[in-house]
PDB file of all heavy atoms in Angstrom:
ATOM      1  N   THR M   2       0.827  -1.207   0.000  1.00 89.00           N
ATOM      2  CA  THR M   2       0.000   0.000   0.000  1.00 89.00           C
ATOM      3  C   THR M   2       0.861   1.256   0.000  1.00 89.00           C
ATOM      4  O   THR M   2       0.548   2.245  -0.669  1.00 89.00           O
ATOM      5  CB  THR M   2      -0.929  -0.014   1.225  1.00 89.00           C
ATOM      6  OG1 THR M   2      -1.719  -1.200   1.189  1.00 89.00           O
ATOM      7  CG2 THR M   2      -1.850   1.186   1.232  1.00 89.00           C
ATOM      8  N   ARG M   3       1.951   1.198   0.724  1.00 87.00           N
ATOM      9  CA  ARG M   3       2.822   2.379   0.815  1.00 87.00           C
ATOM     10  C   ARG M   3       3.479   2.727  -0.526  1.00 87.00           C
ATOM     11  O   ARG M   3       3.955   3.851  -0.717  1.00 87.00           O
ATOM     12  CB  ARG M   3       3.897   2.143   1.869  1.00 87.00           C
ATOM     13  CG  ARG M   3       4.908   1.076   1.499  1.00 87.00           C
ATOM     14  CD  ARG M   3       6.012   0.917   2.516  1.00 87.00           C
ATOM     15  NE  ARG M   3       5.563   0.227   3.716  1.00 87.00           N
ATOM     16  CZ  ARG M   3       6.369  -0.059   4.739  1.00 87.00           C
ATOM     17  NH1 ARG M   3       7.645   0.301   4.698  1.00 87.00           N
ATOM     18  NH2 ARG M   3       5.921  -0.718   5.775  1.00 87.00           N
ATOM     19  N   ASP M   4       3.510   1.727  -1.445  1.00 89.00           N
ATOM     20  CA  ASP M   4       4.138   1.969  -2.750  1.00 89.00           C
ATOM     21  C   ASP M   4       3.153   2.484  -3.794  1.00 89.00           C
ATOM     22  O   ASP M   4       3.552   2.830  -4.909  1.00 89.00           O
ATOM     23  CB  ASP M   4       4.792   0.682  -3.269  1.00 89.00           C
ATOM     24  CG  ASP M   4       5.969   0.244  -2.406  1.00 89.00           C
ATOM     25  OD1 ASP M   4       6.556   1.108  -1.735  1.00 89.00           O
ATOM     26  OD2 ASP M   4       6.297  -0.959  -2.401  1.00 89.00           O
ATOM     27  N   ILE M   5       1.877   2.512  -3.449  1.00 90.00           N
ATOM     28  CA  ILE M   5       0.863   3.019  -4.382  1.00 90.00           C
ATOM     29  C   ILE M   5       0.894   4.548  -4.335  1.00 90.00           C
ATOM     30  O   ILE M   5       0.868   5.138  -3.253  1.00 90.00           O
ATOM     31  CB  ILE M   5      -0.538   2.506  -3.995  1.00 90.00           C
ATOM     32  CG1 ILE M   5      -0.564   0.971  -4.013  1.00 90.00           C
ATOM     33  CG2 ILE M   5      -1.598   3.069  -4.930  1.00 90.00           C
ATOM     34  CD1 ILE M   5      -1.861   0.385  -3.501  1.00 90.00           C
ATOM     35  N   PRO M   6       0.981   5.208  -5.471  1.00 92.00           N
ATOM     36  CA  PRO M   6       0.976   6.680  -5.465  1.00 92.00           C
ATOM     37  C   PRO M   6      -0.230   7.205  -4.684  1.00 92.00           C
ATOM     38  O   PRO M   6      -1.341   6.661  -4.801  1.00 92.00           O
ATOM     39  CB  PRO M   6       0.875   7.041  -6.953  1.00 92.00           C
ATOM     40  CG  PRO M   6       1.464   5.862  -7.662  1.00 92.00           C
ATOM     41  CD  PRO M   6       1.098   4.666  -6.843  1.00 92.00           C
ATOM     42  N   PRO M   7      -0.046   8.234  -3.870  1.00 92.00           N
ATOM     43  CA  PRO M   7      -1.130   8.744  -3.018  1.00 92.00           C
ATOM     44  C   PRO M   7      -2.419   9.041  -3.765  1.00 92.00           C
ATOM     45  O   PRO M   7      -3.510   8.723  -3.270  1.00 92.00           O
ATOM     46  CB  PRO M   7      -0.526  10.018  -2.413  1.00 92.00           C
ATOM     47  CG  PRO M   7       0.952   9.755  -2.411  1.00 92.00           C
ATOM     48  CD  PRO M   7       1.222   8.958  -3.652  1.00 92.00           C
ATOM     49  N   ASP M   8      -2.329   9.634  -4.954  1.00 94.00           N
ATOM     50  CA  ASP M   8      -3.541   9.959  -5.709  1.00 94.00           C
ATOM     51  C   ASP M   8      -4.278   8.695  -6.134  1.00 94.00           C
ATOM     52  O   ASP M   8      -5.515   8.635  -6.098  1.00 94.00           O
ATOM     53  CB  ASP M   8      -3.197  10.799  -6.945  1.00 94.00           C
ATOM     54  CG  ASP M   8      -2.763  12.209  -6.587  1.00 94.00           C
ATOM     55  OD1 ASP M   8      -2.953  12.596  -5.410  1.00 94.00           O
ATOM     56  OD2 ASP M   8      -2.232  12.911  -7.467  1.00 94.00           O
ATOM     57  N   GLU M   9      -3.512   7.678  -6.521  1.00 92.00           N
ATOM     58  CA  GLU M   9      -4.128   6.418  -6.944  1.00 92.00           C
ATOM     59  C   GLU M   9      -4.778   5.710  -5.754  1.00 92.00           C
ATOM     60  O   GLU M   9      -5.898   5.193  -5.864  1.00 92.00           O
ATOM     61  CB  GLU M   9      -3.070   5.511  -7.581  1.00 92.00           C
ATOM     62  CG  GLU M   9      -3.637   4.180  -8.069  1.00 92.00           C
ATOM     63  CD  GLU M   9      -2.556   3.262  -8.621  1.00 92.00           C
ATOM     64  OE1 GLU M   9      -1.467   3.756  -8.974  1.00 92.00           O
ATOM     65  OE2 GLU M   9      -2.806   2.038  -8.668  1.00 92.00           O
ATOM     66  N   LEU M  10      -4.085   5.706  -4.622  1.00 91.00           N
ATOM     67  CA  LEU M  10      -4.642   5.077  -3.427  1.00 91.00           C
ATOM     68  C   LEU M  10      -5.921   5.800  -3.003  1.00 91.00           C
ATOM     69  O   LEU M  10      -6.923   5.152  -2.662  1.00 91.00           O
ATOM     70  CB  LEU M  10      -3.617   5.089  -2.293  1.00 91.00           C
ATOM     71  CG  LEU M  10      -4.102   4.520  -0.956  1.00 91.00           C
ATOM     72  CD1 LEU M  10      -4.487   3.057  -1.099  1.00 91.00           C
ATOM     73  CD2 LEU M  10      -3.040   4.697   0.130  1.00 91.00           C
ATOM     74  N   ARG M  11      -5.865   7.109  -3.035  1.00 92.00           N
ATOM     75  CA  ARG M  11      -7.038   7.889  -2.647  1.00 92.00           C
ATOM     76  C   ARG M  11      -8.229   7.565  -3.535  1.00 92.00           C
ATOM     77  O   ARG M  11      -9.348   7.364  -3.061  1.00 92.00           O
ATOM     78  CB  ARG M  11      -6.713   9.390  -2.733  1.00 92.00           C
ATOM     79  CG  ARG M  11      -7.887  10.301  -2.402  1.00 92.00           C
ATOM     80  CD  ARG M  11      -8.129  10.348  -0.931  1.00 92.00           C
ATOM     81  NE  ARG M  11      -9.358  11.033  -0.562  1.00 92.00           N
ATOM     82  CZ  ARG M  11      -9.622  11.475   0.650  1.00 92.00           C
ATOM     83  NH1 ARG M  11      -8.740  11.317   1.612  1.00 92.00           N
ATOM     84  NH2 ARG M  11     -10.756  12.076   0.914  1.00 92.00           N
ATOM     85  N   GLN M  12      -7.988   7.489  -4.838  1.00 93.00           N
ATOM     86  CA  GLN M  12      -9.073   7.206  -5.774  1.00 93.00           C
ATOM     87  C   GLN M  12      -9.649   5.815  -5.540  1.00 93.00           C
ATOM     88  O   GLN M  12     -10.863   5.607  -5.579  1.00 93.00           O
ATOM     89  CB  GLN M  12      -8.582   7.336  -7.217  1.00 93.00           C
ATOM     90  CG  GLN M  12      -9.676   7.149  -8.254  1.00 93.00           C
ATOM     91  CD  GLN M  12     -10.837   8.102  -8.046  1.00 93.00           C
ATOM     92  OE1 GLN M  12     -10.653   9.319  -7.968  1.00 93.00           O
ATOM     93  NE2 GLN M  12     -12.062   7.579  -7.937  1.00 93.00           N
ATOM     94  N   THR M  13      -8.761   4.841  -5.267  1.00 90.00           N
ATOM     95  CA  THR M  13      -9.222   3.482  -4.994  1.00 90.00           C
ATOM     96  C   THR M  13     -10.099   3.445  -3.752  1.00 90.00           C
ATOM     97  O   THR M  13     -11.176   2.837  -3.742  1.00 90.00           O
ATOM     98  CB  THR M  13      -8.024   2.530  -4.809  1.00 90.00           C
ATOM     99  OG1 THR M  13      -7.261   2.495  -6.019  1.00 90.00           O
ATOM    100  CG2 THR M  13      -8.479   1.123  -4.459  1.00 90.00           C
ATOM    101  N   LEU M  14      -9.644   4.100  -2.694  1.00 92.00           N
ATOM    102  CA  LEU M  14     -10.414   4.114  -1.447  1.00 92.00           C
ATOM    103  C   LEU M  14     -11.739   4.860  -1.615  1.00 92.00           C
ATOM    104  O   LEU M  14     -12.768   4.427  -1.076  1.00 92.00           O
ATOM    105  CB  LEU M  14      -9.578   4.737  -0.331  1.00 92.00           C
ATOM    106  CG  LEU M  14      -8.329   3.958   0.088  1.00 92.00           C
ATOM    107  CD1 LEU M  14      -7.530   4.737   1.138  1.00 92.00           C
ATOM    108  CD2 LEU M  14      -8.692   2.573   0.622  1.00 92.00           C
ATOM    109  N   GLU M  15     -11.726   5.936  -2.352  1.00 93.00           N
ATOM    110  CA  GLU M  15     -12.972   6.686  -2.601  1.00 93.00           C
ATOM    111  C   GLU M  15     -13.969   5.817  -3.372  1.00 93.00           C
ATOM    112  O   GLU M  15     -15.171   5.810  -3.072  1.00 93.00           O
ATOM    113  CB  GLU M  15     -12.682   7.972  -3.381  1.00 93.00           C
ATOM    114  CG  GLU M  15     -11.975   9.058  -2.587  1.00 93.00           C
ATOM    115  CD  GLU M  15     -12.901   9.778  -1.607  1.00 93.00           C
ATOM    116  OE1 GLU M  15     -14.078   9.401  -1.486  1.00 93.00           O
ATOM    117  OE2 GLU M  15     -12.429  10.732  -0.955  1.00 93.00           O
ATOM    118  N   THR M  16     -13.458   5.092  -4.351  1.00 92.00           N
ATOM    119  CA  THR M  16     -14.324   4.219  -5.147  1.00 92.00           C
ATOM    120  C   THR M  16     -14.946   3.138  -4.274  1.00 92.00           C
ATOM    121  O   THR M  16     -16.149   2.864  -4.353  1.00 92.00           O
ATOM    122  CB  THR M  16     -13.531   3.581  -6.302  1.00 92.00           C
ATOM    123  OG1 THR M  16     -13.027   4.614  -7.153  1.00 92.00           O
ATOM    124  CG2 THR M  16     -14.410   2.634  -7.113  1.00 92.00           C
ATOM    125  N   LEU M  17     -14.116   2.510  -3.422  1.00 91.00           N
ATOM    126  CA  LEU M  17     -14.604   1.446  -2.552  1.00 91.00           C
ATOM    127  C   LEU M  17     -15.573   1.992  -1.512  1.00 91.00           C
ATOM    128  O   LEU M  17     -16.565   1.334  -1.178  1.00 91.00           O
ATOM    129  CB  LEU M  17     -13.429   0.740  -1.869  1.00 91.00           C
ATOM    130  CG  LEU M  17     -12.534  -0.075  -2.799  1.00 91.00           C
ATOM    131  CD1 LEU M  17     -11.304  -0.567  -2.057  1.00 91.00           C
ATOM    132  CD2 LEU M  17     -13.305  -1.254  -3.385  1.00 91.00           C
ATOM    133  N   TRP M  18     -15.311   3.173  -0.991  1.00 93.00           N
ATOM    134  CA  TRP M  18     -16.211   3.787  -0.013  1.00 93.00           C
ATOM    135  C   TRP M  18     -17.572   4.066  -0.650  1.00 93.00           C
ATOM    136  O   TRP M  18     -18.611   3.853  -0.036  1.00 93.00           O
ATOM    137  CB  TRP M  18     -15.596   5.075   0.523  1.00 93.00           C
ATOM    138  CG  TRP M  18     -16.324   5.676   1.687  1.00 93.00           C
ATOM    139  CD1 TRP M  18     -17.261   6.660   1.654  1.00 93.00           C
ATOM    140  CD2 TRP M  18     -16.171   5.324   3.070  1.00 93.00           C
ATOM    141  NE1 TRP M  18     -17.713   6.951   2.918  1.00 93.00           N
ATOM    142  CE2 TRP M  18     -17.051   6.143   3.816  1.00 93.00           C
ATOM    143  CE3 TRP M  18     -15.383   4.403   3.750  1.00 93.00           C
ATOM    144  CZ2 TRP M  18     -17.170   6.065   5.199  1.00 93.00           C
ATOM    145  CZ3 TRP M  18     -15.493   4.323   5.134  1.00 93.00           C
ATOM    146  CH2 TRP M  18     -16.372   5.147   5.848  1.00 93.00           C
ATOM    147  N   ALA M  19     -17.550   4.520  -1.895  1.00 93.00           N
ATOM    148  CA  ALA M  19     -18.800   4.817  -2.600  1.00 93.00           C
ATOM    149  C   ALA M  19     -19.557   3.535  -2.930  1.00 93.00           C
ATOM    150  O   ALA M  19     -20.795   3.518  -2.913  1.00 93.00           O
ATOM    151  CB  ALA M  19     -18.511   5.595  -3.876  1.00 93.00           C
ATOM    152  N   GLN M  20     -18.818   2.449  -3.211  1.00 92.00           N
ATOM    153  CA  GLN M  20     -19.459   1.173  -3.535  1.00 92.00           C
ATOM    154  C   GLN M  20     -20.022   0.498  -2.294  1.00 92.00           C
ATOM    155  O   GLN M  20     -21.043  -0.176  -2.346  1.00 92.00           O
ATOM    156  CB  GLN M  20     -18.447   0.233  -4.214  1.00 92.00           C
ATOM    157  CG  GLN M  20     -18.043   0.659  -5.607  1.00 92.00           C
ATOM    158  CD  GLN M  20     -16.951  -0.238  -6.178  1.00 92.00           C
ATOM    159  OE1 GLN M  20     -16.383  -1.076  -5.477  1.00 92.00           O
ATOM    160  NE2 GLN M  20     -16.650  -0.059  -7.449  1.00 92.00           N
ATOM    161  N   GLY M  21     -19.335   0.667  -1.168  1.00 92.00           N
ATOM    162  CA  GLY M  21     -19.734   0.009   0.063  1.00 92.00           C
ATOM    163  C   GLY M  21     -19.207  -1.406   0.141  1.00 92.00           C
ATOM    164  O   GLY M  21     -18.925  -2.043  -0.873  1.00 92.00           O
ATOM    165  N   GLY M  22     -19.034  -1.888   1.372  1.00 87.00           N
ATOM    166  CA  GLY M  22     -18.566  -3.255   1.572  1.00 87.00           C
ATOM    167  C   GLY M  22     -17.254  -3.294   2.316  1.00 87.00           C
ATOM    168  O   GLY M  22     -16.281  -2.671   1.898  1.00 87.00           O
ATOM    169  N   ALA M  23     -17.253  -4.017   3.446  1.00 82.00           N
ATOM    170  CA  ALA M  23     -16.067  -4.052   4.293  1.00 82.00           C
ATOM    171  C   ALA M  23     -14.979  -4.960   3.734  1.00 82.00           C
ATOM    172  O   ALA M  23     -13.797  -4.619   3.755  1.00 82.00           O
ATOM    173  CB  ALA M  23     -16.451  -4.511   5.704  1.00 82.00           C
ATOM    174  N   MET M  24     -15.371  -6.137   3.234  1.00 74.00           N
ATOM    175  CA  MET M  24     -14.385  -7.102   2.753  1.00 74.00           C
ATOM    176  C   MET M  24     -13.586  -6.558   1.574  1.00 74.00           C
ATOM    177  O   MET M  24     -12.381  -6.780   1.468  1.00 74.00           O
ATOM    178  CB  MET M  24     -15.070  -8.411   2.352  1.00 74.00           C
ATOM    179  CG  MET M  24     -15.607  -9.214   3.512  1.00 74.00           C
ATOM    180  SD  MET M  24     -14.302  -9.829   4.603  1.00 74.00           S
ATOM    181  CE  MET M  24     -15.238 -10.964   5.630  1.00 74.00           C
ATOM    182  N   SER M  25     -14.254  -5.833   0.667  1.00 71.00           N
ATOM    183  CA  SER M  25     -13.551  -5.301  -0.508  1.00 71.00           C
ATOM    184  C   SER M  25     -12.516  -4.269  -0.098  1.00 71.00           C
ATOM    185  O   SER M  25     -11.450  -4.160  -0.712  1.00 71.00           O
ATOM    186  CB  SER M  25     -14.538  -4.707  -1.506  1.00 71.00           C
ATOM    187  OG  SER M  25     -15.302  -3.687  -0.907  1.00 71.00           O
ATOM    188  N   LEU M  26     -12.807  -3.512   0.967  1.00 76.00           N
ATOM    189  CA  LEU M  26     -11.845  -2.512   1.439  1.00 76.00           C
ATOM    190  C   LEU M  26     -10.574  -3.196   1.937  1.00 76.00           C
ATOM    191  O   LEU M  26      -9.466  -2.756   1.662  1.00 76.00           O
ATOM    192  CB  LEU M  26     -12.467  -1.669   2.552  1.00 76.00           C
ATOM    193  CG  LEU M  26     -11.668  -0.440   2.993  1.00 76.00           C
ATOM    194  CD1 LEU M  26     -11.668   0.620   1.906  1.00 76.00           C
ATOM    195  CD2 LEU M  26     -12.226   0.145   4.280  1.00 76.00           C
ATOM    196  N   LEU M  27     -10.750  -4.309   2.667  1.00 77.00           N
ATOM    197  CA  LEU M  27      -9.576  -5.043   3.142  1.00 77.00           C
ATOM    198  C   LEU M  27      -8.846  -5.734   1.993  1.00 77.00           C
ATOM    199  O   LEU M  27      -7.610  -5.745   1.943  1.00 77.00           O
ATOM    200  CB  LEU M  27     -10.009  -6.087   4.182  1.00 77.00           C
ATOM    201  CG  LEU M  27     -10.482  -5.557   5.534  1.00 77.00           C
ATOM    202  CD1 LEU M  27     -10.947  -6.708   6.419  1.00 77.00           C
ATOM    203  CD2 LEU M  27      -9.379  -4.775   6.247  1.00 77.00           C
ATOM    204  N   ALA M  28      -9.615  -6.320   1.078  1.00 66.00           N
ATOM    205  CA  ALA M  28      -8.996  -7.063  -0.016  1.00 66.00           C
ATOM    206  C   ALA M  28      -8.238  -6.136  -0.969  1.00 66.00           C
ATOM    207  O   ALA M  28      -7.263  -6.554  -1.606  1.00 66.00           O
ATOM    208  CB  ALA M  28     -10.061  -7.837  -0.784  1.00 66.00           C
ATOM    209  N   ALA M  29      -8.655  -4.874  -1.070  1.00 67.00           N
ATOM    210  CA  ALA M  29      -7.999  -3.923  -1.974  1.00 67.00           C
ATOM    211  C   ALA M  29      -6.606  -3.565  -1.492  1.00 67.00           C
ATOM    212  O   ALA M  29      -5.745  -3.169  -2.277  1.00 67.00           O
ATOM    213  CB  ALA M  29      -8.838  -2.672  -2.103  1.00 67.00           C
ATOM    214  N   ALA M  30      -6.374  -3.692  -0.198  1.00 75.00           N
ATOM    215  CA  ALA M  30      -5.054  -3.401   0.377  1.00 75.00           C
ATOM    216  C   ALA M  30      -4.660  -4.583   1.263  1.00 75.00           C
ATOM    217  O   ALA M  30      -4.811  -4.521   2.480  1.00 75.00           O
ATOM    218  CB  ALA M  30      -5.095  -2.105   1.173  1.00 75.00           C
ATOM    219  N   PRO M  31      -4.210  -5.702   0.665  1.00 74.00           N
ATOM    220  CA  PRO M  31      -3.987  -6.935   1.423  1.00 74.00           C
ATOM    221  C   PRO M  31      -3.010  -6.799   2.585  1.00 74.00           C
ATOM    222  O   PRO M  31      -3.064  -7.588   3.523  1.00 74.00           O
ATOM    223  CB  PRO M  31      -3.438  -7.901   0.361  1.00 74.00           C
ATOM    224  CG  PRO M  31      -3.922  -7.367  -0.941  1.00 74.00           C
ATOM    225  CD  PRO M  31      -3.950  -5.887  -0.772  1.00 74.00           C
ATOM    226  N   ASP M  32      -2.126  -5.797   2.520  1.00 90.00           N
ATOM    227  CA  ASP M  32      -1.148  -5.655   3.610  1.00 90.00           C
ATOM    228  C   ASP M  32      -1.663  -4.758   4.729  1.00 90.00           C
ATOM    229  O   ASP M  32      -0.940  -4.481   5.686  1.00 90.00           O
ATOM    230  CB  ASP M  32       0.176  -5.114   3.077  1.00 90.00           C
ATOM    231  CG  ASP M  32       0.051  -3.721   2.447  1.00 90.00           C
ATOM    232  OD1 ASP M  32      -1.084  -3.285   2.171  1.00 90.00           O
ATOM    233  OD2 ASP M  32       1.093  -3.078   2.227  1.00 90.00           O
ATOM    234  N   VAL M  33      -2.920  -4.324   4.647  1.00 91.00           N
ATOM    235  CA  VAL M  33      -3.431  -3.382   5.638  1.00 91.00           C
ATOM    236  C   VAL M  33      -3.505  -4.011   7.025  1.00 91.00           C
ATOM    237  O   VAL M  33      -3.421  -3.305   8.034  1.00 91.00           O
ATOM    238  CB  VAL M  33      -4.817  -2.836   5.205  1.00 91.00           C
ATOM    239  CG1 VAL M  33      -5.911  -3.868   5.391  1.00 91.00           C
ATOM    240  CG2 VAL M  33      -5.159  -1.560   5.963  1.00 91.00           C
ATOM    241  N   ILE M  34      -3.643  -5.334   7.115  1.00 92.00           N
ATOM    242  CA  ILE M  34      -3.695  -5.978   8.428  1.00 92.00           C
ATOM    243  C   ILE M  34      -2.318  -6.441   8.902  1.00 92.00           C
ATOM    244  O   ILE M  34      -2.201  -6.985   9.997  1.00 92.00           O
ATOM    245  CB  ILE M  34      -4.675  -7.170   8.446  1.00 92.00           C
ATOM    246  CG1 ILE M  34      -4.228  -8.269   7.478  1.00 92.00           C
ATOM    247  CG2 ILE M  34      -6.089  -6.722   8.159  1.00 92.00           C
ATOM    248  CD1 ILE M  34      -5.008  -9.561   7.635  1.00 92.00           C
ATOM    249  N   ALA M  35      -1.307  -6.205   8.070  1.00 93.00           N
ATOM    250  CA  ALA M  35       0.039  -6.668   8.435  1.00 93.00           C
ATOM    251  C   ALA M  35       1.060  -5.548   8.555  1.00 93.00           C
ATOM    252  O   ALA M  35       2.052  -5.690   9.270  1.00 93.00           O
ATOM    253  CB  ALA M  35       0.534  -7.692   7.405  1.00 93.00           C
ATOM    254  N   ASP M  36       0.833  -4.450   7.894  1.00 94.00           N
ATOM    255  CA  ASP M  36       1.805  -3.367   7.829  1.00 94.00           C
ATOM    256  C   ASP M  36       1.234  -2.129   8.516  1.00 94.00           C
ATOM    257  O   ASP M  36       0.194  -1.600   8.107  1.00 94.00           O
ATOM    258  CB  ASP M  36       2.142  -3.065   6.368  1.00 94.00           C
ATOM    259  CG  ASP M  36       3.199  -1.984   6.234  1.00 94.00           C
ATOM    260  OD1 ASP M  36       2.824  -0.793   6.249  1.00 94.00           O
ATOM    261  OD2 ASP M  36       4.391  -2.324   6.125  1.00 94.00           O
ATOM    262  N   ALA M  37       1.890  -1.671   9.548  1.00 95.00           N
ATOM    263  CA  ALA M  37       1.366  -0.561  10.349  1.00 95.00           C
ATOM    264  C   ALA M  37       1.226   0.717   9.528  1.00 95.00           C
ATOM    265  O   ALA M  37       0.256   1.465   9.701  1.00 95.00           O
ATOM    266  CB  ALA M  37       2.274  -0.316  11.558  1.00 95.00           C
ATOM    267  N   GLU M  38       2.174   0.968   8.645  1.00 94.00           N
ATOM    268  CA  GLU M  38       2.103   2.181   7.835  1.00 94.00           C
ATOM    269  C   GLU M  38       0.933   2.119   6.865  1.00 94.00           C
ATOM    270  O   GLU M  38       0.188   3.095   6.693  1.00 94.00           O
ATOM    271  CB  GLU M  38       3.407   2.372   7.063  1.00 94.00           C
ATOM    272  CG  GLU M  38       3.453   3.661   6.250  1.00 94.00           C
ATOM    273  CD  GLU M  38       4.775   3.862   5.529  1.00 94.00           C
ATOM    274  OE1 GLU M  38       5.803   3.310   5.986  1.00 94.00           O
ATOM    275  OE2 GLU M  38       4.766   4.571   4.507  1.00 94.00           O
ATOM    276  N   ALA M  39       0.742   0.958   6.229  1.00 93.00           N
ATOM    277  CA  ALA M  39      -0.385   0.784   5.313  1.00 93.00           C
ATOM    278  C   ALA M  39      -1.694   0.932   6.070  1.00 93.00           C
ATOM    279  O   ALA M  39      -2.651   1.556   5.593  1.00 93.00           O
ATOM    280  CB  ALA M  39      -0.298  -0.582   4.644  1.00 93.00           C
TER     281      ALA M  39
END
């Protein structure tokens, strides 16, 4: 996640937030549960 350009990450998260769904948010950033910075 830390290697994704900030604008791209922001757009991905905005898209997922607009779509709704908890699992997709986690699956979009697989290292979010393992990497503190992510």
Side-chain angles (χ1 to χ4, degrees):
T2 303
R3 68 176 75 178
D4 294 336
I5 301 174
D8 289 348
E9 181 183 340
L10 177 62
R11 178 76 189 197
Q12 184 56 54
T13 298
L14 294 176
E15 288 285 3
T16 299
L17 292 172
W18 189 264
Q20 290 175 351
M24 290 295 191
S25 58
L26 189 70
L27 290 177
D32 62 345
V33 74
I34 63 170
D36 183 275
E38 183 178 335

